Amino acid sequence: MTKDVIALTQRMPEAWAVIVGLLSGGPDKLVNATGEGAVVQLCDEQGRPLVSVEAPLLIQVAGEAERLLGATAPPVPFWWTEARATTGVPEAERLAGTFAARLASLSGGTAWPPEATRSLGVVETDGVSVAPTPAAAQPAVDVLTDKVAVVIMDRPVVAMTAWLSDAFRAAAAAERGLQIVTPPGTRLSPAVLGAMPGWPSRWIVQDEQDGYYDGLSGAVLRWQEGMFATVVPADATEEDPRTPVAASYRQVVNTGERQLAVTFRTVHPADDRLVLGGALETVWRELTGEPPAGWGTAEPANLPWSPGRLTDVAFARAPEPTWFVVVGSPELPGLATVRISRTKAGVEETVTLAFGYGADEDPPLDRIQRTAEALVTRHRLQSMLVQLRKASRGLTVPPRFEGPGVPLAFVLGAEEVRAMPDDRARRTPLSEPPVALGPKARPAYYYPLPGDPSDLSGWADFERLMRHLKGA
């Protein structure tokens, strides 16, 4: 049974409706508040949480419930109230389900998953107890060791929720890795993939044949010495570790779907009049014909697209960096992560963006150079890389092998070009010369990579170009 239960309601859950939901364990259950009141917990007799409930979130972006849950939500705007049950306690899971069912009934809506929310009755929890702190102190964490924090998630897409974002921060502050364990049918949001730290953090997939494996590399894993780690065969050596790869990971499925991936960086002078997000909107409009649909500081993205409001949040958090997720409409799948930080050069935006296309849809490759020109002339582009890859139109990451993208073009901004000696940026070893963008006195350069999009030959051209630009 799932550990996460979500109520999707037409009306904001009023205080009395939340209280009725919290009484799903009977009137004698302890109630606690954490996170400056943003999280309410139903606790056992020792005050340890059985169920943790996030404050309701107003969703004003269409398609987020379908994208992350596969659920049909009320028309926007609607309210998203998330409850997480303590792992390994069946009564806690039933408590979370009853809470969400009551909230949906009283506030007009539905709950996900449907099978977890079939009862409105009081759940018998007498004598039920849960794990001691510190594991229970962090609602999203199910197992805590001196090496890693383990989060068990049973939902269609592991998204960068407020829960998971808190778990990432807590693990980093404690110098631990974060390991996410999911069933085989779960996919990963690109927002989580981009935020995943290095070893020993992993995405661990349960598997009938091999037990557990790494969802990104396929390496077979076992729980050993306080964390999930790679299985080492008896005949392995340092030169040939012979890491076994799960059979499920090797089951490649070619659906004909593709993704156009764009990674770029801009740097703006720090100014009170600066509005952020303009470069991302420019790329979105150039490649899709419409602006982004919504944004947020976590998934689900809950706010309609607004560069002004995004800028306000970033400036309020400065000088600390700010992370955002940006999504497109359900008809034109797009997802970006944006990191905004203050540097000596000014205010830096680092954007990782992807658009999804079905087997019968053509990515707009003819608009890439025009998009680069717009970024150079209007948004102080520093660098940009465009790739095409065989991957899901829905932009989620499956627990099986997906080949790398093929680089189609690279752009070097005017400031970087000026900093290079010997006219190096203009004279390259590629068969096609670069195209000058922007003012003739201060040009940027667009490098078309002549590799075949159907194979990986473009990487050889890209690596040769990078070595040349670095003077190697």
Side-chain angles (χ1 to χ4, degrees):
M1 183 181 293
T2 184
K3 309 299 183 296
D4 299 327
V5 185
I6 299 165
L8 308 170
T9 59
Q10 297 171 352
R11 301 183 298 276
M12 178 180 179
E14 298 184 30
W16 65 268
V18 175
I19 292 172
V20 170
L22 292 172
L23 289 173
S24 57
D28 57 342
K29 282 292 124 209
L30 298 176
V31 177
N32 183 37
T34 64
E36 299 181 351
V39 178
V40 179
Q41 297 175 325
L42 280 174
C43 303
D44 65 7
E45 296 174 354
Q46 286 74 43
R48 295 177 301 223
L50 290 164
V51 176
S52 300
V53 181
E54 276 270 339
L57 182 67
L58 179 62
I59 305 297
Q60 304 176 66
V61 182
E64 285 297 87
E66 291 80 359
R67 179 175 74 90
L68 298 176
L69 302 176
T72 301
V76 293
F78 65 91
W79 293 87
W80 178 303
T81 307
E82 192 156 334
R84 179 169 176 82
T86 297
T87 302
V89 183
E91 293 83 0
E93 297 169 10
R94 291 196 289 271
L95 274 174
T98 301
F99 168 83
R102 289 184 175 188
L103 212 60
S105 176
L106 294 169
S107 302
T110 60
W112 176 92
E115 63 272 14
T117 58
R118 291 173 180 166
S119 173
L120 299 176
V122 172
V123 178
E124 180 59 48
T125 58
D126 288 345
V128 172
S129 185
V130 298
T133 54
Q138 172 60 255
V141 173
D142 298 290
V143 178
L144 195 66
T145 74
D146 60 344
K147 297 178 181 178
V148 297
V150 179
V151 176
I152 301 172
M153 301 190 75
D154 185 1
R155 46 203 297 173
V157 177
V158 174
M160 185 55 85
T161 62
W163 298 112
L164 192 57
S165 180
D166 287 344
F168 271 111
R169 284 193 290 268
E175 298 184 344
R176 291 185 175 95
L178 185 72
Q179 299 192 332
I180 303 171
V181 182
T182 70
T186 295
R187 289 171 167 254
L188 207 64
S189 165
V192 177
L193 178 63
M196 185 77 74
W199 182 91
S201 298
R202 294 181 185 271
W203 172 27
I204 297 108
V205 181
Q206 296 174 320
D207 183 64
E208 289 186 0
Q209 182 173 341
D210 292 294
Y212 298 93
Y213 68 91
D214 188 305
L216 301 178
S217 70
V220 176
L221 307 172
R222 295 287 183 272
W223 182 261
Q224 44 193 332
E225 298 181 0
M227 65 179 181
F228 283 97
T230 305
V231 171
V232 180
D235 57 349
T237 63
E238 290 187 8
E239 294 75 19
D240 184 8
R242 301 186 182 183
T243 303
V245 177
S248 298
Y249 181 80
R250 297 196 299 266
Q251 294 176 357
V252 179
V253 178
N254 185 7
T255 63
E257 297 179 344
R258 290 171 292 176
Q259 293 178 10
L260 184 64
V262 183
T263 305
F264 65 91
R265 185 171 63 92
T266 63
V267 177
H268 313 275
D271 190 302
D272 292 341
R273 296 169 296 177
L274 174 64
V275 177
L276 300 167
L280 175 58
E281 181 173 333
T282 295
V283 174
W284 217 291
R285 287 184 180 275
E286 290 286 347
L287 296 179
T288 71
E290 62 181 38
W295 69 284
T297 56
E299 292 181 292
N302 64 311
L303 298 169
W305 175 246
S306 170
R309 292 190 65 183
L310 183 148
T311 301
D312 290 342
V313 173
F315 272 71
R317 296 184 176 183
E320 294 299 316
T322 306
W323 180 95
F324 299 110
V325 61
V326 181
V327 299
S329 65
E331 296 76 22
L332 294 170
L335 189 144
T337 59
V338 184
R339 183 177 175 84
I340 297 173
S341 55
R342 285 293 303 268
T343 66
K344 292 181 178 179
V347 181
E348 181 174 315
E349 291 181 275
T350 303
V351 178
T352 301
L353 166 65
F355 297 108
Y357 303 90
D360 57 348
E361 297 174 308
D362 292 324
L365 305 185
D366 58 332
R367 303 181 203 168
I368 294 175
Q369 183 175 327
R370 186 179 72 189
T371 301
E373 177 90 38
L375 290 178
V376 167
T377 56
R378 288 185 277 172
H379 298 289
R380 295 177 177 269
L381 180 70
Q382 302 294 299
S383 62
M384 172 178 167
L385 175 65
V386 182
Q387 302 177 59
L388 186 66
R389 60 192 301 259
K390 297 177 181 178
S392 166
R393 182 182 188 272
L395 304 175
T396 53
V397 181
R400 62 174 181 268
F401 176 75
E402 282 189 326
V406 176
L408 302 179
F410 178 73
V411 184
L412 195 65
E415 291 299 322
E416 279 66 26
V417 169
R418 286 190 68 196
M420 286 189 177
D422 307 326
D423 202 23
R424 184 185 302 160
R426 187 174 64 87
R427 301 179 181 277
T428 74
L430 302 181
S431 58
E432 294 188 38
V435 178
L437 303 178
K440 291 183 178 180
R442 294 170 58 89
Y445 282 114
Y446 175 91
Y447 302 91
L449 297 168
D452 185 349
S454 64
D455 60 35
L456 298 181
S457 61
W459 280 113
D461 297 313
F462 179 69
E463 291 173 1
R464 190 161 60 250
L465 174 63
M466 291 299 100
R467 288 196 300 268
H468 168 78
L469 295 177
K470 292 176 181 178

